[in-house]
Amino acid sequence: MNWILGLLIVVFLTSCGETSTEESSSSVIDDSPYTTKSPELNNGDINFDILSIIAGSQTASGAELLEISSGSASNYIFSLSNAPSFFSVNAGSGELTFTDNDAAAGLYDGIILKAVSIIDSSIKQKEFSIGVNGDPLRAYAWHLENTGQKSFSYTTADTGQTCDSQVDGEGDDKACDNLNLGSVYLQGITGKNIRIAISDSGVELAHDDLAANTLSGEHRDYSLNRPYTGDPVPTSPHGTAVSGIISAVGWNNFGSMGVAPGSKFGAFQFLESVQDTDILISQASGNFRIFNYSYGDEIYQDTVSDSDYIDHIKYQTISDDKIFIKASGNEFLLAQDGICTSHNANYPFENESPYMLIVGALSSQSSSVSKPSFIKATYSNSGSNLWVSAPGGDDARLAPAILTTDLPTCLRGDSRSVTGLPNSFEDGSHSLNRDCHYTSAMNGTSSATPIVTGVVALLLEAEPGLKMRDVKNILARTSKIVNGDHANNWFGKTHPENAFDSVYNCVDLDLSGHEYEQGWVQNNAGFWFNNFYGFGMVDANAAVALAKSYDWPMGTLVEQNQSFNKSKYSSGTVNQSIPDANKDGRTNSITIAGADDLTVESVQVRVNVSHGQSGQVGIELTSPHGTKSILANINNSFLLLDKDKDGTIDGDSNLSNFVLTSNAFYGESSAGSWTIKLIDGKSGTTGSLVKWDINILGHN
């Protein structure tokens, strides 16, 4: 393999501040060996599940309970006595309604339903019971339904934000502080039986809230020899937390629930493996529809991905209907010796593959400008290869992180019987977490990614025939344009060193007259795109609705220059100098003939640049229709390479066959002149564009 993989498991953010004021109760911490508990379900004459997201309702027929035919129900007046506050009856029809406002799980008995005949005043009466099942922690899970929960942190998740939806959504003011899952569940869609591979740090398969959704015999441990079969003993809480975000069982009176509580998963212990080509390909294979990769990489130089693995991902996507979903990474700010730079989501291995759906993370906090909405989490890598974003959470101390499953007992997980944890839920003393089976401190793009995986599982249940390209199309069309005032935020269009200068005493890396980022850009096909958010925040209800009515034939996928070996899609050797520290940079164009026209799905460029400090070089691409995409920012993390491993920052020199992907041109026509622009962002070191190539993926 022509690369070295340095995996970075999600960074759990910490900061100083007051601890939560959520109620806590002291108790004796149970650190006894862990065994799976069976759910204690409440079974009555009528059973309901607490709808875990919205204050919706479920109904049953009281007439049938009294053995009154539906055609005769109008001849009676119905009433209830001794009923809980969340339960009511329609006096005219006998319809019993369960409304999730005040409901708590439990068995409610001694309820009396009475029907008085309006014809002869005869009475039918029955005493019955209601069994209600729910999830005691779901009310704290702001990522499932944001009602302004603290989730045990010091401040609440922000609510009340509005935003626009894609394509034709200007001014439609959708609620953009929620995934809008509730109405999907009301349709009975929970991701039932969608098979998901979670390639991570292993999973506690016996967890009360996970055991029922595990796929027996499908788990793998890549620290073993081939065929890697074996239960993936967790080496960190990470994989268990990711699994809970996707597939924690719903309505079982344990903990919270997953975004797709009906889905099934196989767990892989991948992060502790050698991650050679054989293992990479294996963990992207098997009887699964979705593969969740909540890991990223820190890379400080242009490094070539494993070509066999990239080809395998492509084959699995096109030929075997697999869907690969991966985190953008958590390295947006990297600071060393006063050099403060951002990491690009394109840089981690395989993230440049158009067959990976790359996910960015949102904070629980909103912007404080004229049109507030969730903003990019500070850690979340941005880049032109992002597809969508989802809640990733914050530090769990000052602002909410994501609540999910943890390694059980108070000895092994993020929640444990030690001091100095982010909030009162984590140390085993809280009445809702005495056994430390759950954590409120999961965050990062590692959290956002399984949320999107869960939403995709819902789509696949709604329409099983969807393929990767269909899913991407649906998400592009239905995601929400969060943070419309991107330019006015504290790290909007300027170099991120400006935001962190007071903390790290950063070197000035701005370039006069140059915008580090653009904010939201609407392309010629009507799609809005942003390097911070991709096409925006996922909207489960809108996506499922489109999936159920989906009839959007996209045609056969074409890659015009998949091996970057066709001369008509290449500049050839140009050796053009790049002006030093000049916003106007160096431009060069490649023209796509009308006969080769495609409707664009993704665009890749491969660049060769000779430069002593390649991290200074920004790369932009402009379509024939004038849409500009920033592929690589000036003064980026490649400045931080320690070539000699002596603690001295040297920076990477040259870009050799460096591949970058952009989704910003989605839906545009490819015919015409594509223009690359290279900008040297810092004075003192110069370089030149040697050559570049373009690969357009699309359909006729």
Side-chain angles (χ1 to χ4, degrees):
M1 291 170 55
N2 189 25
W3 51 282
I4 301 172
L5 184 57
L7 289 170
L8 176 71
I9 301 177
V10 61
V11 176
F12 283 79
L13 307 174
T14 59
S15 62
C16 297
E18 299 180 61
T19 57
S20 170
T21 57
E22 295 281 351
E23 181 182 356
S24 177
S25 62
S26 62
S27 65
V28 177
I29 295 172
D30 180 8
D31 286 334
S32 58
Y34 176 71
T35 56
T36 306
K37 298 176 184 177
S38 298
E40 297 179 0
L41 299 179
N42 301 300
N43 293 310
D45 297 306
I46 296 175
N47 297 307
F48 288 108
D49 292 329
I50 295 176
L51 293 179
S52 295
I53 299 301
I54 62 172
S57 63
Q58 297 189 55
T59 60
S61 174
E64 291 181 5
L65 190 67
L66 293 173
E67 298 182 350
I68 299 172
S69 67
S70 58
S72 302
S74 60
N75 295 328
Y76 292 85
I77 296 175
F78 296 85
S79 63
L80 283 175
S81 58
N82 199 33
S85 61
F86 57 81
F87 202 63
S88 62
V89 66
N90 184 298
S93 68
E95 183 179 65
L96 298 165
T97 300
F98 162 76
T99 304
D100 180 25
N101 287 324
D102 304 307
L107 182 64
Y108 300 83
D109 54 19
I111 303 168
I112 297 173
L113 174 65
K114 181 189 291 186
V116 179
S117 172
I118 62 176
I119 297 174
D120 58 10
S121 299
S122 62
I123 296 175
K124 288 180 176 288
Q125 183 170 299
K126 184 177 179 65
E127 182 176 317
F128 69 102
S129 60
I130 307 170
V132 180
N133 298 292
D135 304 283
L137 291 176
R138 65 95 182 172
Y140 300 90
W142 67 274
H143 69 285
L144 294 177
E145 169 70 5
N146 180 17
T147 60
Q149 302 98 314
K150 289 182 179 179
S151 197
F152 311 103
S153 69
Y154 184 66
T155 60
T156 64
D158 287 344
T159 60
Q161 301 96 21
T162 60
C163 56
D164 300 325
S165 55
Q166 276 287 354
V167 186
D168 58 353
E170 182 65 32
D172 62 0
D173 290 336
K174 298 186 69 174
C176 59
D177 53 17
N178 277 294
L179 295 174
N180 294 325
L181 288 162
S183 53
V184 177
Y185 299 154
L186 281 170
Q187 300 171 56
I189 297 172
T190 61
K192 286 186 289 294
N193 298 318
I194 302 302
R195 297 168 64 92
I196 300 168
I198 300 172
S199 189
D200 212 285
S201 66
V203 174
E204 176 55 77
L205 300 175
H207 195 290
D208 300 339
D209 232 357
L210 297 175
N213 279 342
T214 62
L215 290 168
S216 179
E218 295 286 5
H219 311 299
R220 304 176 198 168
D221 185 345
Y222 289 106
S223 67
L224 304 175
N225 294 325
R226 296 183 69 178
Y228 314 118
T229 304
D231 287 349
V233 177
T235 53
S236 83
H238 192 262
T240 300
V242 168
S243 300
I245 293 172
I246 300 170
S247 295
V249 179
W251 311 290
N252 63 347
N253 301 322
F254 286 144
S256 186
M257 61 181 282
V259 173
S263 63
K264 305 293 183 182
F265 70 92
F268 301 167
Q269 170 51 273
F270 168 73
L271 296 183
E272 295 299 321
S273 73
V274 296
Q275 298 160 21
D276 59 18
T277 300
D278 181 66
I279 287 175
L280 283 170
I281 290 175
S282 175
Q283 60 98 41
S285 306
N287 184 21
F288 303 97
R289 284 299 311 277
I290 308 172
F291 292 77
N292 186 94
Y293 298 150
S294 286
Y295 53 79
D297 321 285
E298 283 187 17
I299 297 175
Y300 300 103
Q301 61 187 34
D302 60 319
T303 309
V304 179
S305 298
D306 187 303
S307 59
D308 290 337
Y309 178 46
I310 294 292
D311 288 345
H312 178 76
I313 293 289
K314 174 182 175 180
Y315 176 81
Q316 292 281 289
T317 299
I318 295 175
S319 301
D320 211 10
D321 297 343
K322 311 296 188 187
I323 297 171
F324 297 90
I325 303 176
K326 189 169 185 289
S328 68
N330 304 323
E331 303 82 32
F332 183 75
L333 178 74
L334 298 168
Q336 186 176 350
D337 295 347
I339 299 178
C340 307
T341 72
S342 69
H343 202 57
N344 191 310
N346 255 303
Y347 296 172
F349 292 106
E350 73 262 3
N351 278 24
E352 84 278 9
S353 170
Y355 302 99
M356 286 281 189
L357 195 160
I358 306 298
V359 178
L362 300 170
S363 169
S364 67
Q365 307 300 293
S366 70
S367 57
S368 58
V369 292
S370 60
K371 194 173 184 182
S373 72
F374 284 157
I375 60 174
K376 183 181 84 67
T378 54
Y379 52 78
S380 182
N381 288 348
S382 63
S384 57
N385 62 327
L386 260 64
W387 200 264
V388 289
S389 299
D394 298 286
D395 64 358
R397 183 186 299 274
L398 293 177
I402 304 298
L403 195 151
T404 183
T405 47
D406 196 9
L407 294 180
T409 78
C410 294
L411 296 173
R412 302 188 296 152
D414 288 312
S415 177
R416 55 174 59 202
S417 51
V418 297
T419 59
L421 296 172
N423 62 54
S424 64
F425 184 76
E426 298 294 302
D427 64 6
S429 66
H430 199 285
S431 60
L432 292 172
N433 198 29
R434 286 195 179 103
D435 298 325
C436 303
H437 288 188
Y438 299 88
T439 180
S440 65
M442 178 66 174
N443 62 15
T445 55
S446 284
S447 297
T449 301
I451 287 174
V452 173
T453 291
V455 171
V456 172
L458 301 176
L459 299 186
L460 294 179
E461 182 190 349
E463 178 45 67
L466 296 175
K467 300 180 186 299
M468 173 76 149
R469 293 165 65 212
D470 300 317
V471 167
K472 291 174 72 175
N473 191 20
I474 288 169
L475 294 179
R477 293 180 179 278
T478 59
S479 293
K480 297 176 288 193
I481 304 172
V482 294
N483 189 14
D485 289 311
H486 177 110
N488 298 322
N489 284 312
W490 57 281
F491 60 90
K493 293 187 176 182
T494 63
H495 196 285
E497 59 89 4
N498 292 282
F500 299 99
D501 183 43
S502 61
V503 178
Y504 296 104
N505 192 26
C506 304
V507 173
D508 183 6
L509 294 177
D510 273 323
L511 176 63
S512 179
H514 173 74
E515 285 188 339
Y516 187 82
E517 277 292 359
Q518 303 181 89
W520 286 98
V521 174
Q522 188 177 33
N523 71 19
N524 182 256
F527 287 93
W528 290 88
F529 189 85
N530 189 317
N531 277 6
F532 276 19
Y533 307 104
F535 293 103
M537 176 180 173
V538 291
D539 183 326
N541 183 51
V544 166
L546 183 53
K548 292 175 74 172
S549 62
Y550 190 73
D551 184 18
W552 220 296
M554 298 179 68
T556 302
L557 180 67
V558 176
E559 285 196 53
Q560 291 180 324
N561 192 18
Q562 59 182 326
S563 300
F564 295 107
N565 59 358
K566 296 182 179 179
S567 60
K568 65 178 179 178
Y569 303 117
S570 174
S571 68
T573 301
V574 293
N575 287 329
Q576 296 175 334
S577 62
I578 304 170
D580 192 27
N582 188 319
K583 67 178 180 62
D584 295 327
R586 168 65 63 187
T587 61
N588 190 271
S589 297
I590 295 172
T591 299
I592 306 298
D596 294 333
D597 188 27
L598 296 174
T599 298
V600 174
E601 296 181 39
S602 285
V603 176
Q604 292 183 298
V605 299
R606 186 179 70 174
V607 297
N608 284 268
V609 173
S610 174
H611 198 288
Q613 289 280 339
S614 69
Q616 295 181 8
V617 179
I619 302 172
E620 300 175 356
L621 183 68
T622 301
S623 76
H625 306 282
T627 304
K628 183 176 81 172
S629 177
I630 297 175
L631 310 183
N633 302 106
I634 63 166
N635 298 329
N636 58 60
S637 59
F638 286 8
L639 291 176
L640 298 179
L641 179 66
D642 178 7
K643 294 178 184 176
D644 304 322
K645 308 301 179 185
D646 60 359
T648 302
I649 293 176
D650 304 303
D652 181 41
S653 61
N654 303 327
L655 299 174
S656 302
N657 297 320
F658 188 42
V659 178
L660 298 160
T661 294
S662 176
N663 300 315
F665 311 106
Y666 192 73
E668 289 192 352
S669 165
S670 70
S673 181
W674 291 82
T675 301
I676 196 171
K677 181 178 180 180
L678 289 91
I679 303 162
D680 188 311
K682 195 171 184 293
S683 63
T685 306
T686 60
S688 60
L689 168 64
V690 178
K691 65 172 293 189
W692 71 287
D693 310 88
I694 191 168
N695 177 33
I696 296 176
L697 297 87
H699 58 273
N700 293 306

